[in-house]
Amino acid sequence: MQMFCYQCEQTTNGSGCVDLGICGKDPQVAALQDLLVHATKGISMLAHRAAKLGKRDAAIDRFVIQALFATVTNVDFDAARLQEHLTEAAAMRDRARRLYEDACKSAGKSAETLNGPTTWQPKQDIDGLVGQGRLVAITSRRAELAEDIVGLQELVLYGLKGTAAYAEHAAVLGHEDAEVYAITHEALDFLTKPQPAVADLLAWALKVGELNLKVMALLYGANSGVYGVPTPTQVRISHVKGKCILVSGHDLHDLGELLKQTEGKGINIYTHGEMLPCHAYPELKKYKHLVGNYGGAWQDQKREFSQFPGAILMTTNCIQKPKEDYKGRIFTTGMVAWPGVDHIGDNKDFTPVIEAALAAPGFAEDEAEKNILVGFGHQAILGVADKVIDAVKAGKIRHFFLVGGCDGAELGRNYYTDFTKQVPDDCVILTLACGKFRFNKLDFGDIGGIPRLLDLGQCNDAYSAIQVASALANAFNCGVNDLPLSLIVSWYEQKAVAILLTLLHLGIKNVRLGPKLPAFVTPNVLNVLVENFNIMPISTPEADLAKILG
Ligand code: SF4
Ligand code: SF3
């Protein structure tokens, strides 16, 4: 059986995974995910029309973002769980139909006759669902539509998927926004149009960027509202003696709940990957047993999880096929799933994780203490804005580089390490997301007390980067594109796509993107992006630095 997926950077041969995903997604799971996206479009066609008549339903809204999140790269590899989502999708679609029909009745209008994804009826077994999924895969549209159109449809969809993941993280903390759901439904409805125009697709791509900005702000409000404003914090990156749990992903709520449930149990909690910034949040760092950060970015997990002598909890994405030696002590929660791996449900009872940690040996002794500094969200940076602005005016800071985004396994990603090493001493590096693990343990020193490497946080804290850039532009009375600031972005999955669309929505130009350009961006679409935004691929650190710094 074959599949087609080109939604992430590591896609096979830079064109598409057809036999098996490099990520480990097989054709069966690929078809189920394609069907889930299709089903979600059907729900949104109805929910969008109901919303226009003033009716919404919280369960439908939430389901749609969860379903999109489940199809993000490295999230859900479990066919049985995807089957459950599909069964629920059919029920949600019926609920959305009733919502729309009731809304029509109240408004004295007759309901439109809708076809396509609104009429889908799920087959009863996985094989049947897989067959349905294959009929609605990207390949079915590729047979009918121009490659540019399909690529742009996917650009919009992938942006929505990334945005949905952030919206879900905010929602679990009780922060939701009806407009976010309304725009998501409208965008998914738009994606069902049979012959969309290129101009409309491009406009929707930017609109999804705008939506993502709103959602990242919502998530920043949720994270800092519940756990306090991040402040600069030293984080231990060497282990200490004792039993241990490693928490990976982006979900602060999961970490917060686990910290509560493990308090006084003699278990140390370590952050992994995108959880690193959590050490800067007052209501998380107050727990003494949140002892440090372990390991690097997601693609190193097989080696690092093998060596970690405790339990492991995956909260968002970037799970890889677990090795047998830790399969019994790794757990998933939220939208993440791997067949055969224990899943912690929405009640967030982490007892099995705690038991696995107690049964594992733990670290036998303390490792020599080593620390790194995190916690430079925009509120921390803007707290010393005067100092930063004075340093720029005095010529002590020549240039800012935002070097951030996702990490991945390819050799070409050494570019980001080499680039930061070659950034001259009178320049400041801002970073965010898991790409930072390529260089965040290097010593960059400081400029008059301002650290040369400022870690803004998770990928969603691109929101903070945007706030810092806007504040600097205000202070220097210029536009963001006129600042001595260059963006060197690495991408891997769909959250990075959402952030890229946000940057384009804001009119930010000259982004250098790597390690490779997205396979779904066709040459014609790339030309449009180059003309309007001067987006460009990375070349070599030497050449890029020379060009930027003149
Ligand atoms: Fe391939 Fe990436 Fe799709 Fe996985 S998510 S199947 S690696 S393109
Ligand atoms: Fe990393 Fe997966 Fe994208 Fe949040 S954790 S940035 S790759």
Side-chain angles (χ1 to χ4, degrees), residues 44 47-49 51-52 56 61 177-189 204 207 211:
S44 284
H48 165 56
R49 284 165 176 77
K52 279 203 298 188
R56 61 178 284 251
D61 291 345
D177 179 337
E179 201 190 343
V180 165
Y181 295 122
I183 297 170
T184 304
H185 293 313
E186 189 183 356
L188 286 167
D189 174 65
W204 260 109
K207 199 163 171 187
L211 172 70

Side-chain angles (χ1 to χ4, degrees), residues 200-280:
D200 291 343
L201 282 157
L202 282 167
W204 260 109
L206 298 186
K207 199 163 171 187
V208 170
E210 184 180 15
L211 172 70
N212 186 54
L213 179 60
K214 200 177 181 59
V215 173
M216 290 194 298
L218 189 70
L219 181 52
Y220 182 82
N223 286 341
S224 58
V226 176
Y227 299 111
V229 173
T231 53
T233 304
Q234 291 285 347
V235 181
R236 185 174 175 133
I237 52 166
S238 50
H239 63 249
V240 295
K241 186 178 171 180
K243 302 281 183 186
C244 47
I245 297 173
L246 186 60
V247 190
S248 189
H250 303 66
D251 197 299
L252 270 62
H253 178 252
D254 287 329
L255 177 62
E257 290 306 300
L258 183 71
L259 285 166
K260 266 187 226 163
Q261 291 176 36
T262 47
E263 205 171 12
K265 290 207 161 62
I267 299 172
N268 293 322
I269 307 296
Y270 293 81
T271 58
H272 175 261
E274 280 282 70
M275 280 287 173
L276 168 63
C278 294
H279 293 272

